[in-house]
Amino acid sequence: MYGDKKYNNLNYYLREKFGEKVYKLSIDAGFTCPNRDGKISTKGCIFCNERGAGDFTGNRGDSIYKQAKDQIEMIKKKSDAKKYIIYFQNFTNTYDTPEKLEELYNTALRIENVVGISIATRADCLSDGVIDILRKLNDKTELWIEIGLQTVNDITAVKINRGYNLDIFEKRYNELKKYNIKVVIHLIANLLEETKYDFLKSIEYISSKKVFGLKIHMLYITKDSPLFKYYTEKPFYIMNMNEYSDLIVESLKILDKEIVIHRLTGDPNQENLFLPEWTLNKKGVLNLINKKINQYL
Ligand code: SF4
């Protein structure tokens, strides 16, 4: 057992490492993304919206210090939180010069009671210069690099306009691994026409790479993403909550047990969500998943 769960989970990992619950502060540091600003494409990934895959972060215009302070204040109203991880969430958080990135990350580390940094990015935005910065940062703090891979299928990757192939991921991942930098992979279930077997292939691959962490969520179609248009013109099958929870259990059965599960369901913005509505019931989805895990894992 990993705390109260049958699978290795983030809360358990953090409690073991830091001796208590650690809270994530979601920061919008004002980045953009090469898949949106024209360097690779102007369209972005098909499911991405104007906020660059981060609907619940701090205010883009505010300093990271203010965003962190505001969130700490909110968290403290409900808990006796003492330790935090800064999560650079929106867009591509390594999309700048190594010098500027180093300054930004070090600023985050100076915020009181911050014990780690998590950086969301793309595999093709991890140049040697950036990895050199990350290598130094990794010696100083708990560091996670979160890569929105979503699928290992290169045909789907073209359909979703991810903008790079698995080969690029593999090369950059191996570089990070060489320096023992922890990598968290994001995968999406039901990615357009992908079946559950396609998803399990992604899980098998991630498992074989022995990544540090994994985040999974069901595909959700938001009204402000290109996916909305795609779906209305070319509808595809969308799993129900029962099918999704079964798929999660199957995934955990084949996943390397050391991989830390950071998330098993998503958090869509209610105002923008088109489908599937059941993803709004986060608690219900997690309860069903945990019930099935307790029964079948
Ligand atoms: S890489 Fe991230 S920010 Fe860029 S388009 Fe894709 S989902 Fe959006």
Side-chain angles (χ1 to χ4, degrees), residues 191-255:
L191 207 45
L192 314 190
E193 289 84 11
E194 279 201 354
T195 64
K196 73 174 209 172
Y197 301 104
D198 295 310
F199 184 73
L200 290 172
K201 275 192 189 149
S202 291
I203 292 284
E204 265 173 23
Y205 173 88
I206 291 308
S207 194
S208 73
K209 291 285 151 203
K210 299 205 178 301
V211 301
F212 160 68
L214 176 62
K215 275 185 175 176
I216 302 173
H217 73 77
M218 171 70 191
L219 177 76
Y220 35 79
I221 304 170
T222 56
K223 292 172 202 151
D224 54 356
S225 70
L227 182 56
F228 179 69
K229 186 167 180 279
Y230 180 100
Y231 182 80
T232 44
E233 286 168 3
K234 203 177 164 212
F236 50 87
Y237 184 74
I238 293 187
M239 279 184 232
N240 60 40
M241 188 159 129
N242 206 29
E243 289 167 317
Y244 178 73
S245 53
D246 283 342
L247 183 56
I248 294 297
V249 176
E250 280 187 57
S251 302
L252 292 182
K253 276 184 184 165
I254 60 171
L255 191 73

Side-chain angles (χ1 to χ4, degrees), residues 94 96-99 101 123-136 168 171-176 178-179 181:
T94 57
D96 209 333
T97 61
E99 295 72 28
L101 293 173
D124 59 354
C125 282
L126 291 161
S127 64
D128 289 347
V130 169
I131 290 184
D132 201 42
I133 296 301
L134 299 177
R135 183 180 56 76
K136 286 190 253 168
I168 290 182
K171 284 192 184 116
R172 301 328 287 164
Y173 173 72
N174 288 341
E175 280 296 299
L176 293 167
K178 199 161 90 186
Y179 299 116
I181 297 172

Side-chain angles (χ1 to χ4, degrees), residues 24-28 56-58 67 71 85 87-90:
K24 245 174 147 181
L25 308 173
S26 297
I27 302 295
D28 184 336
F56 303 106
T57 49
Q67 291 183 49
Q71 287 177 52
I85 286 179
Y87 177 28
F88 290 105
Q89 183 172 5
N90 301 62

Side-chain angles (χ1 to χ4, degrees), residues 33-36 44-45 47-49 52-53 90-92 122 150 162:
C33 169
N35 206 20
R36 298 189 71 104
C45 300
F47 46 80
C48 183
N49 63 20
N90 301 62
F91 297 97
T92 302
R122 300 167 52 83
Q150 322 307 359
R162 191 179 66 200

